[in-house]
Amino acid sequence: MYVGRFVIVGPDFAAYRVSSRSFPNRRIVDRDGVLTVGPTPDAPANDNPYVSYNCVRRGGDSVVVGNGSHVDPIAEKLDCGYPARDAVATALLALDYEKDDYATPRVAGVVGADSYVGIVRKDALLVESVDDPTLVATYEEDAPTAIDFAGDDDPTAMARRAYDLPYEHAVCAAGVTHDDGDVAVGFHNDT
């Protein structure tokens, strides 16, 4: 099954995976603790604004994960002291779903003292508190759903587990741990 990009959020961890049929030549790079999705050196040139973005970024005492440019404003709202739920809802509502050929939803999660997962689709904005691992994806699994996915002390191993989940067209993945404000990030690229 193809579910597109997805986030998994638990109370003290998160994972994000890029799955793509259209732009598979991407990777995650670490830029001083901010994980960024971008084209591989051999990727064909394109002007699609949805191909490159920060997918993991710290905000306040929390960490944000997501599939697009909304990650930055969520983190900035958290830096300003917004509650996690409000930061997710405000940014997703303001940026709305992606205006591409598929009306791609935006998915996001926050891991911290309060953990949330959210999605904005063409027909809905959903933001839910997380007590157990919860997945939300851009397609098919486009409402927060419980998933059997344990956190890990090693965010790189967690990224690999997210990459290996049985959804089609895996490209790269990120993992995040949050332990009382101590944050660790890791990633796995197909290349």
Side-chain angles (χ1 to χ4, degrees):
M1 172 182 358
Y2 180 67
V3 298
R5 272 74 57 219
F6 64 82
V7 298
I8 299 171
V9 179
D12 58 357
F13 72 89
Y16 170 68
R17 187 175 105 178
V18 176
S19 306
S20 180
R21 296 178 288 214
S22 304
F23 298 100
N25 296 19
R26 289 189 273 176
R27 65 181 177 170
I28 295 174
V29 296
D30 186 339
R31 298 185 180 181
D32 296 323
V34 175
L35 299 185
T36 302
V37 173
T40 59
D42 61 340
N46 74 75
D47 60 356
N48 186 315
Y50 303 117
V51 170
S52 298
Y53 52 89
N54 292 331
C55 66
V56 174
R57 180 176 161 188
R58 208 170 170 142
D61 291 330
S62 300
V63 182
V64 181
V65 297
N67 72 320
S69 60
H70 54 286
V71 167
D72 294 329
I74 294 170
E76 291 162 6
K77 297 287 185 199
L78 292 168
D79 285 339
C80 290
Y82 276 58
R85 177 188 162 276
D86 296 352
V88 172
T90 301
L92 289 178
L93 186 60
L95 289 169
D96 210 5
Y97 62 91
E98 295 178 359
K99 303 306 189 274
D100 59 8
D101 293 340
Y102 308 103
T104 303
R106 292 179 189 266
V107 296
V110 171
V111 180
D114 297 309
S115 296
Y116 284 85
V117 65
I119 182 170
V120 63
R121 310 182 308 234
K122 193 172 186 176
D123 65 340
L125 168 67
L126 307 171
V127 180
E128 295 185 7
S129 178
V130 170
D131 293 318
D132 296 309
T134 304
L135 175 137
V136 67
T138 56
Y139 309 115
E140 300 294 329
E141 302 285 345
D142 65 351
T145 306
I147 185 172
D148 184 16
F149 189 92
D152 197 309
D153 290 339
D154 180 358
T156 301
M158 192 169 22
R160 180 61 197 234
R161 282 201 337 272
Y163 180 89
D164 288 338
L165 285 172
Y167 300 115
E168 297 174 351
H169 303 290
V171 174
C172 53
V176 176
T177 58
H178 185 282
D179 182 15
D180 290 328
D182 290 330
V183 173
V185 299
F187 58 93
H188 173 78
N189 291 315
D190 186 32
T191 57

